[in-house]
């Protein structure tokens, strides 16, 4: 085996000194004598200059379109509130929309619906300084991309803040500019030059050398612009990108800026198009598989050209190694492509004894590399890589999902796109950490809520063996917030959807396309179903190998919308919404458990619980008294404290529309035809801090924003990893103010019985009841000391855990998750600080103030403690521990290998350090 980095050549582009990957002829032999000419893909991560207007009302007039006035934006309204109609707006200002819309043309199927660019440049931009090459941006901020302009705050506080809790209390709205420049070499004289943007929040407009190239409004989309007509073949090319992030445009924290990677792509005029390969598999077995590839080839030249292609398939493992020899080859016949045109060539091959992609833990996520070469007159003019997996999917109305014949029950979570203290700026290591902790809990499935992810996230799920529901829209034509996606849905729904599928369709972890989440069209009967049908049909035009879904929290079996989709995707309706006795006094959607009704109406469609639970808790906060039921809505004084804005961690309390994990898991167990479900949510995320909108981040996560496990983590682990010996006790046992008072003790275990001891005295042995997720001792009177839980399975000892009353805080434990990282300015080490007593026990109520400093060639990127109410900037080097824990995120400087020493200080406690080594690539 040979490392992919060894197979690829290193190329330098101008002053950026950036690594470029380019295939080498020697290691991937072609069956003709050729000279390989490769495409170049250059990461534009450094040398960006950034400027954000202090107030959007004072920004330049280069707007995409006029927007409606915000008449009402209720921060903190229930997430299942009914979406409303769009507001009609008359455009009286000069807008740049006509120059931006043509960027969508490659993704609009009907030529008659494509957009004609106006002649010339927009007059309103004449002389505007930021787009000019001679503008001096030296006083602008120097930033590295991916970049989230809002994550360092400051947080807005109070009831009338410019940005409330719903959008994370951070300054994400506003108008800003990014500038960078590049030069081309002599070898680029005839190249096509493209700008590839993986994510820009939002309403992006791109200028090159003073010319408006185009743009893309949807902040979660990945997109390409052709720079070729505007590029200078010698000298400096000046790039300027304007972003405009509206207020009241999201129900969670959207971030702001160029928050995903930006690339410069250079190709010969004849090349594989954007996301131009589609690999499909059929007749898959252990013995063989049929693999087909469709290749879109573009001809940007001014003459018709005859081309052919060859694709070679290589095994590709989880450590980025490819085999030396191809396992199969597809050669396509020559095809004539007209000047400025495109053509699609196709071929099929049989691969014997394929390495199948399948989800862990029982299967292996094997992957393949398809290396496609485009030949013109026998000369290779382009090379294009496609990573994919060979697997068989089957969706059954009675039994759910099967992958390669194995029944896969969804033990899933929903994940938003932010990375906690890092914000929306994507980082591979941070995302990998999130997925690894979810895997430890027993998660095998991810639903991406409610927008396209970074493409690197899908590379991780491919490698790590998760199955994924890939989702694109939270709204269609009806709005949830005044300035959300509904404003651009009529023009951009089709191009956004087609681009989304073409980008992700070769990812083996993606098993389903979700085209909407709780959309307002659930309420509009046939009109809503008509929109759903149009979107469904677009999906099928792009990819027929995966089913469609749209997640419904209102539509019922007799309504027209559910009939459109290939699957039944239910948010909260399966176990019932506001139907338990504790919820009957609440206003809003009220639904009895609907799994049976949907199964009766659609017996052949797979049913899944696409969102469930919406339980809320604050890690380590336990409030009394504790509800006697298994699920209760959070209210002030009953699971919630309006003064501290903390929520009880007994894990029994929920949003008004939600249900506890206990209720959800019991309901799923009683309806075996349901294919499983997706918890809302896997991690806490920025924004939507139900029920206390004075906070910054959600309480929904099974894992808090800093990455520390809540008690609910162990509840799911006990149910989802039945063969893993574990037992977990809650609450902690530091209650000096509760001596002599009833303090309930709850236990989660993968065993079937538990005996509980307090200071050596048995409090009884209990069996886990049928469909129950916990064992409860609700009448324990508190006395300090030690709790011990002995779990049994099939009558034999299974696992044991203890919780003790601790002493006072006397020391700190500082531990890095990785003691060696790359000196690339990107790789991260996550350092946990625990406040401990003299016996090494974490003090569960410790909130000591901590100070952090770093010596060596690196920097502290962010700090956190998982407290949703903490409004200290993530960039701060001082932070209080929250219930005994805090987090510091550290990275090394690019190209500067060395030793980092993180120092943690706290008054009255000995200073502690952690050593981290940064290594050069």
């Amino acid at each position: 085996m040979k490392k992919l980095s060894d197979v690829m050549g290193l190329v330098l582009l101008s002053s950026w000194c950036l690594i470029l990957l380019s295939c080498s002829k020697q290691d991937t032999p072609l069956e003709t004598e050729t000279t390989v000419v490769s495409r170049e893909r250059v990461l534009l991560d450094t040398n960006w200059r950034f400027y954000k207007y202090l107030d959007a009302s004072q920004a330049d007039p280069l707007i995409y379109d006029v927007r409606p006035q915000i008449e009402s934006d209720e921060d903190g309204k229930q997430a299942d509130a009914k979406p409303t109609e769009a507001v009609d707006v008359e455009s009286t200002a000069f807008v740049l929309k006509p120059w931006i819309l043509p960027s969508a043309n490659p993704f609009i199927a009907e030529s008659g619906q494509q957009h004609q660019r106006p002649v010339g440049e927009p007059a309103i931009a004449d002389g505007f300084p930021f787009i000019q090459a001679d503008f001096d941006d030296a006083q602008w901020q120097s930033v590295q991309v991916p970049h989230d302009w809002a994550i360092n705050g400051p947080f807005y506080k109070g009831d009338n803040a410019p940005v409330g809790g719903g959008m994370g209390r951070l300054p994400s709205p506003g108008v800003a500019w990014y500038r960078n420049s590049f030069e081309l070499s002599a070898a680029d004289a005839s190249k096509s030059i493209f700008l590839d943007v993986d994510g820009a929040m939002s309403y992006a407009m791109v200028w090159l050398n003073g010319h408006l190239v185009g743009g893309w409004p949807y902040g979660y989309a990945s997109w390409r612009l052709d720079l070729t007509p505007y590029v200078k073949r010698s000298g400096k090319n000046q790039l300027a990108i304007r972003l405009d992030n509206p207020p009241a445009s999201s129900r969670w924290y959207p971030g702001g800026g160029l928050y995903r990677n930006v690339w410069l792509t250079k190709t010969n005029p004849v090349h594989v198009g954007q996301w131009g390969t589609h690999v499909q598999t059929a007749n898959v077995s252990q013995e063989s598989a049929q693999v087909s590839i469709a290749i879109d080839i573009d001809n940007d030249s001014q003459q018709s050209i005859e081309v052919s292609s060859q694709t070679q398939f290589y095994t590709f493992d989880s450590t980025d190694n490819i085999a030396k020899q191809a396992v199969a080859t597809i050669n396509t016949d020559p095809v004539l492509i007209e000047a400025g045109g495109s053509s699609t060539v196709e071929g099929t091959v049989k691969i014997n004894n394929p390495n199948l992609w399948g989800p862990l833990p029982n299967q292996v996520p094997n992957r393949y590399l398809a290396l496609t070469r485009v030949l013109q007159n026998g000369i290779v003019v382009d090379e294009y890589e496609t990573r994919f997996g060979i697997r068989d999917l089957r969706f059954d109305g009675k039994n759910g999902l099967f992958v390669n014949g194995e029944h896969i029950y969804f033990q899933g979570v929903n994940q938003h796109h932010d990375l906690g203290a890092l914000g929306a700026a994507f980082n591979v290591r941070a995302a990998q950490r999130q997925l690894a902790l979810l895997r430890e809990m027993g998660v095998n499935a991810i639903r991406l809520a409610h927008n396209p992810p970074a493409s690197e996230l899908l590379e991780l799920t491919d490698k790590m063996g998760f199955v994924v529901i890939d989702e694109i829209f939270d709204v269609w034509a009806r709005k949830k917030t005044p300035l959300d996606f509904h404003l651009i849905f009529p023009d951009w729904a089709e191009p956004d959807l087609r681009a989304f599928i073409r980008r992700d369709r070769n990812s083996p972890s993606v098993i389903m396309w979700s085209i909407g989440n709780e959309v307002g069209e659930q309420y509009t009967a046939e009109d809503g179903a008509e929109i759903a049908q149009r979107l469904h049909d677009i999906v099928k035009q792009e990819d027929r190998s995966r089913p469609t879904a749209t997640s419904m929290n209102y539509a019922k079996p007799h309504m027209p919308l559910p009939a459109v989709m290939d699957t039944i995707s239910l948010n909260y309706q399966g176990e019932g919404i506001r139907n338990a006795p504790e919820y009957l006094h609440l206003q809003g959607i009220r639904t009895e458990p609907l799994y049976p009704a949907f199964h009766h109406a659609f017996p052949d469609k797979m049913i899944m619980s696409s969102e469930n639970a919406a339980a809320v808790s604050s890690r380590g906060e336990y409030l009394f008294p504790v509800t006697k039921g298994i699920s209760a809505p959070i209210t002030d004084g009953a699971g919630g404290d309006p003064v501290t804005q903390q929520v009880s961690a007994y894990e029994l309390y929920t949003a008004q529309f939600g249900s506890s994990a206990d209720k959800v898991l019991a309901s799923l167990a009683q309806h075996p035809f349901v294919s499983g479900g997706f918890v809302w949510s896997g991690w806490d995320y920025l924004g939507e801090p139900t029920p206390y909108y004075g906070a910054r981040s959600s309480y929904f996560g099974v894992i808090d924003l800093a990455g520390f496990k809540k008690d609910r983590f162990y509840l799911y682990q006990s149910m989802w990893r039945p063969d893993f010996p574990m037992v977990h006790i809650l609450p902690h046992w530091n209650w000096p103010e509760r001596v002599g008072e009833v303090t309930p003790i709850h236990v989660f275990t993968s065993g079937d019985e538990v005996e509980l001891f307090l200071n050596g005295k048995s409090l009884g042995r209990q069996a886990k009841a049928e469909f129950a997720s916990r064992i409860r001792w609700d009448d324990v009177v508190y006395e300090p000391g030690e709790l011990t839980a002995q779990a049994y399975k099939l009558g034999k000892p299974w696992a044991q855990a203890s919780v003790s009353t601790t002493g006072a805080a006397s020391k700190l434990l500082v531990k890095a998750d990785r003691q060696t990282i790359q000196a690339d300015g990107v790789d991260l080490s996550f350092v946990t600080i625990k406040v401990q007593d003299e016996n090494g026990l974490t003090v569960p109520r410790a909130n000591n103030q901590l100070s952090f400093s770093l010596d060596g060639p690196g920097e502290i990127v962010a700090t956190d403690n998982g407290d949703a109410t903490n409004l200290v900037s993530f960039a701060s080097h001082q932070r209080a521990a929250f219930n005994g824990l805090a987090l510091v995120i550290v990275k090394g400087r690019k190209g500067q290998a060395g030793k980092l020493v993180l120092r943690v200080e706290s008054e009255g406690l000995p200073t502690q350090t952690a050593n981290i080594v940064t290594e050069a690539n």
Side-chain angles (χ1 to χ4, degrees), residues 559-573:
M559 297 179 180
L561 185 65
V564 175
M565 298 298 143
D566 296 325
T567 62
I568 301 298
S569 181
L570 301 179
N571 286 7
Y572 309 104
Q573 294 197 79

Side-chain angles (χ1 to χ4, degrees), residues 191-456:
K191 295 285 184 70
S192 295
I193 311 296
F194 302 98
L195 183 73
D196 291 331
V197 179
D198 289 350
M201 192 65 69
S202 51
Y203 287 91
M205 300 179 188
V206 177
W207 276 262
L208 184 68
N209 300 324
H211 300 278
L212 179 54
V213 181
W216 206 281
Y218 189 30
Y220 295 104
S222 298
W223 41 276
R224 162 175 285 186
L225 295 179
D226 186 358
L227 303 183
T228 311
Y230 312 100
V231 77
K232 295 178 181 177
R233 298 295 168 172
S234 63
K236 183 175 77 170
N237 285 277
Q238 182 61 57
L239 187 66
I241 301 177
R242 183 189 192 271
L243 300 180
D244 181 0
N245 223 16
S249 60
S250 178
R251 299 188 298 119
W252 54 82
Y253 175 70
L258 296 175
Y259 70 102
R260 293 176 183 163
N261 284 329
V262 178
W263 307 85
L264 191 72
T265 300
K266 302 189 291 183
T267 71
N268 286 317
V270 176
H271 57 269
V272 176
Q274 182 187 15
W275 306 313
T277 57
H278 186 190
V279 180
Q280 298 185 79
T281 59
N283 303 321
V284 175
S285 70
Q286 295 288 344
E287 291 72 36
S288 65
Q290 178 180 300
V291 178
S292 302
I293 187 167
I295 307 162
D296 298 330
I297 303 175
D298 293 345
N299 176 12
D300 293 344
S301 75
Q302 297 181 10
Q303 59 185 355
S304 297
I305 293 177
E306 185 178 81
V307 301
S308 60
S309 75
Q310 180 185 88
T311 299
Q312 294 176 300
F313 298 92
Y314 298 84
T315 55
F316 188 97
D317 69 21
S318 61
T319 57
D320 285 357
N321 292 309
I322 62 172
K324 292 182 179 180
Q325 298 298 321
V327 298
T329 300
I330 294 176
N331 293 298
T332 62
D333 293 331
V335 60
L336 184 68
I337 308 178
E338 302 213 353
S342 310
S343 185
T344 301
V345 297
E346 301 180 43
T348 301
V349 72
K350 178 176 153 183
I351 293 181
N352 293 318
N353 304 312
N355 297 332
L356 301 184
W357 185 95
L360 296 174
N362 296 328
Q363 300 188 53
V364 178
N366 295 302
R367 295 173 302 139
Y368 281 81
L369 176 71
L371 180 59
T372 297
R373 292 184 171 97
V374 178
L375 293 91
Q376 178 184 342
N377 297 323
I379 303 297
V380 175
V381 294
D382 193 25
E383 292 178 332
Y384 189 87
E385 293 181 358
T386 308
R387 290 162 175 80
F388 70 99
I390 299 175
R391 82 283 191 270
D392 176 70
L393 301 179
R394 181 164 65 88
F395 300 85
D396 187 278
K398 183 177 180 181
N399 299 300
L401 171 67
F402 291 82
V403 180
N404 303 324
E406 180 192 2
H407 179 233
I408 303 298
Y409 185 78
F410 291 132
Q411 296 177 174
V413 297
N414 288 272
Q415 285 286 94
H416 264 303
H417 76 301
D418 76 71
L419 295 170
L422 301 175
F426 189 79
N427 180 277
V428 170
R429 171 58 196 151
Q432 184 185 48
R433 174 177 178 252
Q434 287 195 341
L435 292 172
L437 279 168
L438 292 170
R439 172 77 71 201
E440 182 185 344
M441 188 170 76
V443 172
N444 64 4
I446 307 292
R447 175 175 173 243
L448 298 167
H450 301 290
N451 45 259
S455 58
E456 293 88 350

Side-chain angles (χ1 to χ4, degrees), residues 531-545:
I531 294 177
Q533 187 69 58
R534 179 167 65 90
L535 298 176
H536 168 86
D537 291 346
I538 290 172
V539 171
K540 294 305 180 183
Q541 292 166 16
E542 296 292 334
D543 175 37
R544 303 194 67 85
S545 70

